[in-house]
Amino acid sequence: DEQAFFRLLGLLEPGFEALESATGDTRTELRERLSRHFVQRRRPDIAEWQEGNLFPRRETTELTYTLTGAWEQFFDAVLSYCASVVEAAGVDETRRRLSFWGTLALMRCVASSPAAAVQALRTRAGLGDQLPEDELKARVFDGASDALPGDDVEPPAGGETVVLADLIAQAERLAGQAGDPKLKLLTDHLAELLRDGFSPVVFCRYIATAHYLGAHLASRFKDVTVGVITGELTSDERRDRVDLLGDAERRLLIATDCLSEGVNLQDHLDAVVHYDLSWNPTRHEQREGRVDRFGQKRDVVRATLLYGANNPVDGAVLEVILRKAEKIREELGVLVPLPDEGHTLSQALMKAVLLRK
């Protein structure tokens, strides 16, 4: 809500509301006045007095894939199913909330990988409606900007057994066959990074996706040591595995967001690939900050965002969350967490997905 954002700035000084439409010298003057309300220590401030480059330069890029054939058909089937579940909930408030979170969870898993979709669908088929709403919501989201997600396990989806069985069968076929357009894009990009001498870390949201990528990439890059780190490991085990990977001459790490904070990777890795879009824009910065930090030996680190050109979930996340967060960053010069305590962002996200359908 852009008007609300500028009204919020107007609480600092009423004139700041004019930033919404200001141009030229007026806009420049308003931004200079706004900057006086920030106290911030940035890398350029250090560069003013420290000779040499203490921090690497970050090169960012975005790459897209297109869903086709069986992959596109499966995604369409899932979206049709999600729309029918929400519609069937009727006016029962409890049922509507559970169907909302359940379908949102499924869409997120499907956007991640067919392996995550299989796990979510199988879990749902065995759970019925037993999972509490609060726990389901906790599994769907990425957590606050200053807290790690507590669970990278795939959340269950809701729905009828017969329909779920058909979706499971489709997802299993896709998980076991070649041609995954998202995975192919990742593989081609990693080949380029490795050829250029980089050691990448690939971040994804779910455990099943991490193992799915690990198995494929280990068979594809036989001369590269591939590590997989998820929430299945303790914090000490994660650090040990990172150190062990650092001993390899050529290395590649697949990780869930259990590594997006708290573990420094700059000694062994120097490129970040976002395989799954985070639903918290601050999380992307935290992921990239694992390698783009003091102590990084490379002058340049790379960060790549992957998303589906015709993937409605990715499109909604970009439009509803990430692009707006970037616009705020451009306006203020800092990355500001987007609050979603009432889950209004989440509801806008789901409506955007279903409307695209």
Side-chain angles (χ1 to χ4, degrees):
D1 187 338
E2 294 185 21
Q3 287 185 336
F5 169 65
F6 287 105
R7 285 199 301 270
L8 196 63
L9 292 184
L11 293 178
L12 297 174
E13 181 181 320
F16 291 157
E17 288 192 47
L19 270 166
E20 182 176 11
S21 57
T23 59
D25 292 342
T26 301
R27 177 178 174 80
T28 300
E29 190 270 336
L30 282 171
R31 284 176 56 81
E32 288 178 355
R33 280 163 48 196
L34 177 62
S35 71
R36 298 169 194 163
H37 293 267
F38 288 86
V39 177
Q40 183 187 17
R41 300 291 179 258
R42 303 170 303 161
R43 294 184 183 187
D45 299 325
I46 297 176
E48 289 181 3
W49 56 265
Q50 172 67 45
E51 291 186 7
N53 186 15
L54 290 180
F55 298 98
R57 176 168 54 86
R58 187 186 310 184
E59 293 181 349
T60 61
T61 187
E62 296 182 359
L63 299 177
T64 62
Y65 61 91
T66 302
L67 294 169
T68 58
W71 307 90
E72 185 177 18
Q73 292 170 12
F74 174 61
F75 220 107
D76 283 344
V78 169
L79 290 182
S80 295
Y81 160 75
C82 289
S84 67
V85 168
V86 172
E87 184 178 356
V91 296
D92 186 316
E93 185 61 29
T94 300
R95 190 179 175 194
R96 284 180 63 86
R97 289 201 309 270
L98 287 173
S99 67
F100 173 83
W101 297 115
T103 52
L104 197 63
L106 177 57
M107 288 191 291
R108 176 150 212 200
C109 287
V110 171
S112 179
S113 71
V118 168
Q119 192 63 39
L121 290 163
R122 283 178 178 168
T123 302
R124 171 61 188 96
L127 274 180
D129 291 324
Q130 299 170 15
L131 200 65
E133 180 182 352
D134 288 344
E135 185 177 344
L136 183 54
K137 285 193 287 188
R139 288 198 190 185
V140 172
F141 292 102
D142 291 337
S145 60
D146 57 351
L148 288 175
D151 195 348
D152 49 6
V153 176
E154 301 72 22
E160 299 177 5
T161 304
V162 175
V163 180
L164 285 174
D166 180 61
L167 292 176
I168 289 172
Q170 291 186 56
E172 286 176 334
R173 286 194 298 272
L174 294 179
Q177 74 180 45
D180 183 340
K182 183 179 181 183
L183 181 55
K184 182 182 185 304
L185 177 65
L186 173 70
T187 304
D188 292 345
H189 181 58
L190 289 176
E192 179 184 335
L193 287 173
L194 291 165
R195 186 171 58 248
D196 291 344
F198 285 90
S199 299
V201 53
V202 180
F203 279 106
C204 50
R205 180 61 179 88
Y206 297 115
I207 291 173
T209 301
H211 290 302
Y212 173 71
L213 298 182
H216 173 84
L217 297 174
S219 64
R220 169 64 175 80
F221 301 111
K222 297 186 182 300
D223 59 340
V224 176
T225 301
V226 178
V228 177
I229 297 179
T230 71
E232 299 163 300
L233 304 175
T234 66
S235 57
D236 288 340
E237 288 172 333
R238 295 170 201 168
R239 287 184 173 86
D240 290 343
R241 190 162 293 191
V242 169
D243 291 338
L244 184 62
L245 186 67
D247 294 334
E249 183 176 350
R250 303 185 74 205
R251 49 196 173 270
L252 166 63
L253 177 61
I254 314 297
T256 63
D257 281 320
C258 68
L259 278 191
S260 66
E261 270 294 325
V263 178
N264 295 334
L265 303 177
Q266 74 272 22
D267 290 335
H268 309 306
L269 302 162
D270 45 35
V272 172
V273 180
H274 303 280
Y275 190 72
D276 290 336
L277 299 179
S278 174
W279 291 11
N280 180 338
T282 313
R283 183 76 61 212
H284 285 180
E285 181 65 28
Q286 290 171 330
R287 290 172 175 178
E288 294 171 13
R290 297 306 88 214
V291 303
D292 182 8
R293 60 194 302 108
F294 181 75
Q296 173 61 250
K297 300 177 184 65
R298 269 189 175 269
D299 293 333
V300 174
V301 297
R302 291 186 183 173
T304 307
L305 195 70
L306 304 186
Y307 63 90
N310 63 336
N311 179 329
V313 176
D314 283 357
V317 173
L318 283 167
E319 179 183 331
V320 175
I321 299 177
L322 300 183
R323 299 302 189 207
K324 291 192 176 184
E326 182 58 30
K327 189 169 184 180
I328 291 175
R329 186 213 291 261
E330 291 174 359
E331 194 68 53
L332 298 182
V334 295
L335 184 64
V336 178
L338 297 180
D340 194 23
E341 294 176 2
H343 298 297
T344 53
L345 269 179
S346 316
Q347 294 180 52
L349 182 63
M350 186 170 180
K351 288 176 182 176
V353 173
L354 295 180
L355 283 173
R356 287 168 186 259
K357 170 61 183 174

